[in-house]
């Protein structure tokens, strides 16, 4: 696989593993270099231990104890073992949250991918202004999430939103996008799809650029029309890039809190509550923080994300071997 | 290609871009709408009678928050560069043992949901008394950018020809000197790319700010907007005006840094 494809995810924030494949050792003994390497790596290692490993350890600890706000300060929380996990899974919120997470994630990434791919193919035909317009498409991705989410909230406002106003012109009555249990989840999904299109466009466009133009010419000479060229040439050759895009999308979308929290706070009721938002709500969203179940939910989420991550790495390794 | 036949593609492209950017247009439109017209039915599609009330509110209420966000962003850039540039150099050029494992760890680190990190940081900061502090927020925000920075620097620096660093060595430069005087200047574009993204992510962060800094005297602009939404649901022109102002770094990044973003893409291409 041409490596520019690897380059795109590097830029957009989730890098392909930039492992330096160890070259054949030029000298057997390189102890001074090794010490230098260690010295240059020391800040990172210390950073990872203090600001990654330790918070994660604290999080596991939270999930195994009964931390009340008071116990937080005094540090004498009762040890519960896995009871928090059992409570969370048995909770009546767990089912809806899991279902919402699955819907939110799958619908989001499939739609983002499909739209992103269509746009990438479209922009791949160079035309006047194509570079500029493609750059403009990045805007939603670069905006702070609170900005996009609050704009969407106002657009979807029941009484004064532009969306309902347009629908009204077509004779469709008022829809309570964010406040009705039937539509809240779909509203946040739409906003999230909008947010994810640029990311998919960037990666898939980079992938398209690596497909040799000769192949298209050959296919055209063989009498393939544009539709056939897409399904017989573009799509199969884009498969590795597609797999990476979808898996990165999956990992990102599982983590989403801001968009949903700002638009609906997971409500009404549990209507748009995902696992990540549930965790946030328990810990920080109410007047009474309940950190232990929140941490348990968060850790379950890590397990799901890691599982997705391992699939990603497995596919990538397989791709590199072939 | 056939330039004559591409005009309709440009037209389609313009329409698609207009649809995609409609929410951005709407944000700007609402920010210029008078409070009295906010609940007009149908809403005003164009700001025929623009008002700058909203922007006046931004400058009277949100200047400190903007300052805090700039401070947090710059702090985050400094911390990220300080940690990731040397580490990228070591991983790319010094080939230490366990480089593969470390790269894998960084990849896994990027998969951890921020809400989980936020709880961990909260638990730690409560004890240390670091809640509601700017440096606490800087550290938490930097966790988004550091793994990205290390991976980007590694990818770019692995592409620096070994002859260049070897030549420096022959001239008597130590490892530190090689890094500072040869590798860093060559990696200018990666430094800029990492800085821009570190700044933007810190600037945009909501989760860490809303958990670790929500009762602080110095809140960042994202919380400023959030507080606006919570307090006065009638003044959407002020909320949207703040949103427009908060989007400025994104716009600047897009205009100024397109090249460096592209530079980042090719950084991946240089690696074998």
């Amino acid at each position: 696989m041409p490596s520019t494809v690897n380059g795109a995810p590097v830029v957009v924030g989730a890098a392909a593993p930039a492992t330096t494949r160890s070259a054949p050792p030029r000298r057997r003994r390189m102890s001074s270099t090794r010490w230098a390497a260690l010295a240059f790596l020391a800040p990172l290692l210390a950073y990872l231990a203090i600001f990654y490993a330790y918070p994660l350890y604290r999080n596991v600890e939270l999930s195994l104890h009964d931390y009340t706000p008071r116990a937080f300060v005094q540090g004498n929380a009762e040890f519960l073992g896995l009871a928090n996990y059992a409570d969370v899974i048995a909770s009546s919120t767990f089912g809806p949250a899991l279902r919402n997470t699955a819907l939110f994630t799958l619908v989001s990434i499939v739609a983002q991918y499909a739209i992103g791919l269509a746009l990438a193919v479209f922009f791949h035909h160079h035309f006047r202004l194509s570079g500029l317009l493609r750059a403009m498409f990045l805007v939603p991705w670069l905006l702070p999430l609170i900005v996009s989410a609050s704009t969407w909230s106002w657009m979807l406002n029941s009484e004064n939103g532009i969306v309902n106003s347009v629908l009204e012109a077509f004779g469709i009555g008022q829809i309570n996008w964010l406040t009705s249990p039937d539509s809240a989840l779909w509203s946040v999904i739409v906003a999230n799809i909008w947010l994810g299109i640029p990311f998919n466009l960037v990666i898939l466009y980079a992938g398209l650029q690596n497909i040799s133009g000769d192949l298209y010419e050959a296919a055209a000479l063989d009498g393939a029309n544009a539709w056939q060229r897409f399904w017989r040439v573009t799509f199969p050759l884009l498969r590795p890039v597609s797999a990476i895009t979808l898996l990165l999308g999956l990992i990102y979308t599982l983590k989403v809190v801001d968009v949903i929290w700002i638009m609906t706070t997971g409500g009404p009721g549990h209507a748009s509550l995902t696992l990540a938002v549930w965790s946030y709500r328990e810990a920080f969203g109410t007047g009474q923080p309940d950190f232990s179940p929140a941490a348990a939910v968060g850790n379950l989420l890590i397990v799901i994300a890691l599982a997705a991550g391992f699939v990603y790495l497995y596919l990538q390794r397989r791709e590199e071997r072939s | 290609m056939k330039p004559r036949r591409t005009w309709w593609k440009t037209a389609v492209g313009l329409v698609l871009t207009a649809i995609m950017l409609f929410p951005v247009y709407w944000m700007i439109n609402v920010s210029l709408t008078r409070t009295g017209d906010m609940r007009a039915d149908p809403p005003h599609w164009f700001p025929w009678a623009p008002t700058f009330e909203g922007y006046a509110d931004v400058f009277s209420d949100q200047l400190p928050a903007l300052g805090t966000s700039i401070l947090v962003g710059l702090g985050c850039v400094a911390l990220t560069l300080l940690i990731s540039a040397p580490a990228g150099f070591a991983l790319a050029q010094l080939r230490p043992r366990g480089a593969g494992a470390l790269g894998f760890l960084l990849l896994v680190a990027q998969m951890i949901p921020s809400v989980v990190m936020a709880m961990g940081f909260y638990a730690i900061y409560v004890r240390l008394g670091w809640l509601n502090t700017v440096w606490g927020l800087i550290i938490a925000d930097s966790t988004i950018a550091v793994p990205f920075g290390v991976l980007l620097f590694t990818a770019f620096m692995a592409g620096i020809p070994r002859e260049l660093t070897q030549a420096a060595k022959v001239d008597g430069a130590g490892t530190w000197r090689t890094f500072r005087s040869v590798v860093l200047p060559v990696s200018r574009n990666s430094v800029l790319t990492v800085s821009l993204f570190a700044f933007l992510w810190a600037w945009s962060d909501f989760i860490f700010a809303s958990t670790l800094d929500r009762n602080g005297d110095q809140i960042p602009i994202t919380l400023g907007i959030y507080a606006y939404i919570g307090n006065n649901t009638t003044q959407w022109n002020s909320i949207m005006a703040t949103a427009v102002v908060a989007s400025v770094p994104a716009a600047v990044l897009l205009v100024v840094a397109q090249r460096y973003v592209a530079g980042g893409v090719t950084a991946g291409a240089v690696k074998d």
Side-chain angles (χ1 to χ4, degrees):
Chain A
M1 185 171 68
S3 43
T4 326
V5 173
N6 284 333
V10 171
V11 173
V12 286
T19 45
T20 48
R21 222 163 290 142
S22 45
R26 299 217 177 107
R27 280 172 288 166
R28 284 279 156 208
R29 301 226 145 259
M30 297 203 303
S31 60
S32 80
T33 317
R34 197 182 298 159
W35 280 113
L38 202 62
F40 275 85
L41 279 176
L44 175 68
L45 296 175
Y47 180 90
L48 287 178
I50 300 170
F51 298 124
Y52 260 101
Y54 188 54
L56 285 178
Y57 161 76
R58 286 290 284 148
N59 203 64
V60 171
E61 208 199 348
L62 283 179
S63 73
L64 298 177
H65 291 76
D66 180 22
Y67 268 95
T68 56
R70 171 181 292 203
F72 230 125
V73 181
Q74 295 175 341
N76 57 353
E78 188 193 345
F79 183 80
L80 290 181
L82 294 174
N84 282 318
Y85 290 88
D87 285 352
V88 161
I89 291 171
S91 144
S92 64
T93 314
F94 186 74
L98 199 63
R99 191 193 69 105
N100 290 345
T101 308
L103 256 179
F104 180 78
T105 312
L106 293 178
V107 175
S108 288
I109 60 173
V110 169
Q112 286 168 359
Y113 172 78
I115 299 172
L117 181 59
L119 287 166
V121 170
F122 175 69
F123 279 110
H124 195 53
H125 304 274
H126 295 278
F127 50 85
R128 273 178 77 89
L129 298 179
S130 63
L132 176 73
L133 295 181
R134 196 159 43 81
M136 301 282 282
F137 260 81
L138 287 180
V139 168
W141 185 65
L142 293 170
L143 291 181
L145 276 173
I146 180 129
V147 166
S148 338
S150 51
T151 305
W152 275 97
S153 310
W154 184 242
M155 284 171 53
L156 294 171
N157 183 284
S158 297
E159 284 91 33
N160 305 294
I162 183 72
V163 175
N164 271 351
S165 162
V166 169
L167 291 179
E168 207 176 296
F170 288 100
I172 299 167
Q174 180 176 317
I175 297 173
N176 296 319
W177 295 103
L178 300 174
T179 47
S180 142
D182 299 326
S183 56
L185 183 63
W186 294 102
S187 303
V188 292
I189 288 176
V190 167
N192 191 58
I193 292 170
W194 181 78
L195 287 166
I197 289 173
F199 173 82
N200 284 260
L201 170 60
V202 168
I203 300 189
L204 293 168
Y205 183 81
L208 284 181
Q209 284 187 308
N210 281 312
I211 299 177
S212 157
D214 299 349
L215 288 170
Y216 291 109
E217 268 174 44
L221 282 178
D222 289 344
N225 60 30
W227 184 251
Q228 287 167 328
R229 284 202 296 273
F230 174 78
W231 286 111
R232 301 274 166 79
V233 180
T234 311
F235 199 67
L237 286 174
L238 214 53
R239 207 180 48 94
V241 189
S242 300
I244 287 165
T245 314
L246 286 168
L247 280 155
L248 288 176
L250 176 66
I251 291 164
Y252 288 149
T253 314
L254 279 174
K255 303 203 280 192
V256 167
V257 172
D258 336 31
V259 189
I260 303 179
W261 183 256
I262 294 159
M263 288 178 71
T264 66
T265 67
H270 300 151
S272 56
L273 195 75
T274 61
L275 289 172
V277 177
W278 187 19
S279 174
Y280 183 89
R281 186 196 257 185
E282 288 288 314
F284 304 106
T286 60
Q288 288 155 324
D290 216 347
F291 284 94
S292 295
V297 175
N299 290 335
L300 289 176
L301 200 60
I302 292 187
V303 173
I304 300 175
L306 282 184
F310 281 119
V311 174
Y312 163 66
L313 287 176
Y314 168 75
L315 287 181
Q316 208 196 30
R317 289 277 150 79
R318 207 179 59 173
E319 211 59 55
E320 269 174 14
R321 242 179 278 133
S322 63
Chain B
M1 305 230 164
K2 303 161 198 150
R4 287 230 195 103
R5 289 187 48 201
T6 60
W7 65 267
W8 67 268
K9 286 181 186 161
T10 306
V12 173
L14 281 169
V15 171
L16 291 175
T17 313
I19 295 172
M20 186 69 179
L21 294 188
F22 181 77
V24 179
Y25 167 74
W26 199 247
M27 165 176 81
I28 297 166
N29 181 32
V30 172
S31 77
L32 295 168
T33 307
R34 279 176 305 188
T35 311
D37 292 341
M38 201 59 67
R39 306 216 170 250
D41 186 32
H44 294 221
W45 283 81
F46 302 101
W48 291 129
T51 172
F52 292 93
E53 291 168 41
Y55 291 89
D57 285 346
V58 175
F59 287 104
S60 62
D61 300 348
Q62 302 288 358
L63 277 186
L66 286 168
T68 307
S69 278
I70 291 173
L71 193 65
V72 171
L74 293 179
C76 191
V77 169
L79 186 59
T80 304
L81 289 180
L82 222 60
I83 289 165
S84 59
F89 170 67
L91 287 173
Q93 295 270 336
L94 304 177
R95 304 188 182 288
R97 280 219 194 129
L102 195 57
F104 176 75
L105 263 184
L106 290 169
L107 207 66
V108 171
Q110 292 188 319
M111 293 170 192
I112 299 165
S114 327
V115 61
V116 173
M117 294 298 286
M119 281 185 281
F121 273 117
Y122 188 90
I124 296 168
Y125 283 7
V126 154
R127 293 278 189 80
L128 295 175
W130 284 17
L131 285 177
N132 306 321
T133 59
V134 168
W135 68 84
L137 191 56
I138 291 175
I139 289 172
D141 280 347
S142 72
T143 58
I144 312 171
V146 164
F148 165 79
V150 176
L151 293 171
L152 190 102
F153 276 124
T154 310
F156 183 82
M157 290 172 177
I160 296 175
R162 202 108 333 185
E163 291 78 24
L164 207 62
T165 48
Q166 292 294 338
K169 208 166 219 173
V170 171
D171 289 347
T175 315
W176 171 250
R177 193 70 206 280
T178 311
F179 170 65
R180 218 185 54 97
S181 309
V182 178
V183 173
L184 264 192
V186 174
S187 314
R188 220 193 76 207
N189 284 3
S190 325
V191 171
L192 279 163
T193 308
V194 171
S195 306
L196 287 162
F197 280 102
F199 185 87
L200 192 70
W201 287 331
W203 176 274
S204 312
D205 162 69
F206 172 75
I207 296 185
F208 286 128
S210 69
T211 53
L212 305 175
D213 190 25
R214 56 180 161 174
N215 303 318
D217 304 325
Q218 293 177 288
I219 56 164
I221 189 67
T222 47
L223 279 196
I225 299 177
Y226 190 62
Y228 253 157
I229 300 177
N231 291 341
N232 46 2
T233 42
T234 52
Q235 300 227 302
W236 274 86
N237 48 6
S238 307
I239 298 173
M240 290 293 109
T242 320
V244 171
V245 174
S247 309
V248 168
V252 171
L253 182 72
L254 196 66
V255 174
V256 180
Q258 265 254 297
R259 249 179 62 216
Y260 299 115
V261 175
V265 177
T266 39
V270 197
K271 136 191 157 184
D272 61 339

